[in-house]
Amino acid sequence: MGRKFVVGGNWKMNGDKKQIDEIVANLKNGPLDSNVEVVVGVPAIYLAYAKSILPDTIGVAAQNCWKVAKGAFTGEISPAMIKDVGAGWVILGHSERRTIFGEKDELVAEKVAHALESGLKVIACIGETLEEREANKTEEVVFRQTKALLPAIGNNWANVVLAYEPVWAIGTGKTATPQQAQDVHASLRKWLAANASADVADSVRIQYGGSVTAANAKELAACPDIDGFLVGGASLKPEFVNIVNATQ
Ligand code: PEP
């Protein structure tokens, strides 16, 4: 296996320079487990600032991007621009992009394809709503969302992290139980073995996201198919360090 644990902090549309200074000071103070890859998802306008004060050991991600390199797309940013300011990652398909901004599987896939072609690493988010879970459609939904990504990713899986984020657990304080999360991660891996390759299924890192805190991170991290977290609210707080260190 040998999948390196990877923890992302999604700051969403939060923070200003002062708060970013505090978050970065906390991360520098750590200490952060050196066996864990850490990436912070920064509002676009602060990408360059965050990159300039973060240690190089911490990756920087945009929270969205557009699907072409440049042009008449007012308000958008491209992977080329994200790379130009020194960030190496982008979070795509977050449920807030899907639900609030109406992004469909096809658009998410186009963005993923272009981001990868441009040399960014991608955290690709998938996950079911409460209604879908209650209708026993969790697998159907996450398989459909992942299937849309297959042609976009091609043989570039090494640069992709999947984030399984049940929508009902995001920002709600309702965490999936370790068993619920593990079950979906294991099903995804099985599906990837059948639909991508055994190697992809074995090597791709699957993060869990949804109200992860220092209090629940250790139990979740102990699940065999959970290879990290995508953390929203708690990534703005000092406890993010404890979440990064959850496998210790
Ligand atoms: C997220 O934004 O991806 C997320 C999981 O948020 P929270 O941790 O606040 O639920």
Side-chain angles (χ1 to χ4, degrees), residues 10 12 94 96 165 169-172 209-212 230-234:
N10 176 15
K12 312 195 191 203
H94 190 279
E96 287 149 19
E165 301 205 296
I170 297 181
T172 58
S211 299
V212 175
L230 186 56
V231 184

Side-chain angles (χ1 to χ4, degrees), residues 69-117:
K70 62 177 180 175
F73 302 100
T74 303
E76 292 291 334
I77 60 168
S78 70
M81 293 168 174
I82 295 167
K83 276 188 71 181
D84 193 36
V85 297
W89 290 79
V90 63
I91 299 169
L92 290 170
H94 190 279
S95 70
E96 287 149 19
R97 299 296 319 172
R98 292 178 188 263
T99 57
I100 303 171
F101 301 99
E103 294 191 9
K104 301 270 182 278
D105 293 347
E106 294 67 31
L107 177 60
V108 175
E110 288 176 302
K111 291 182 174 195
V112 168
H114 181 61
L116 289 171
E117 277 161 20

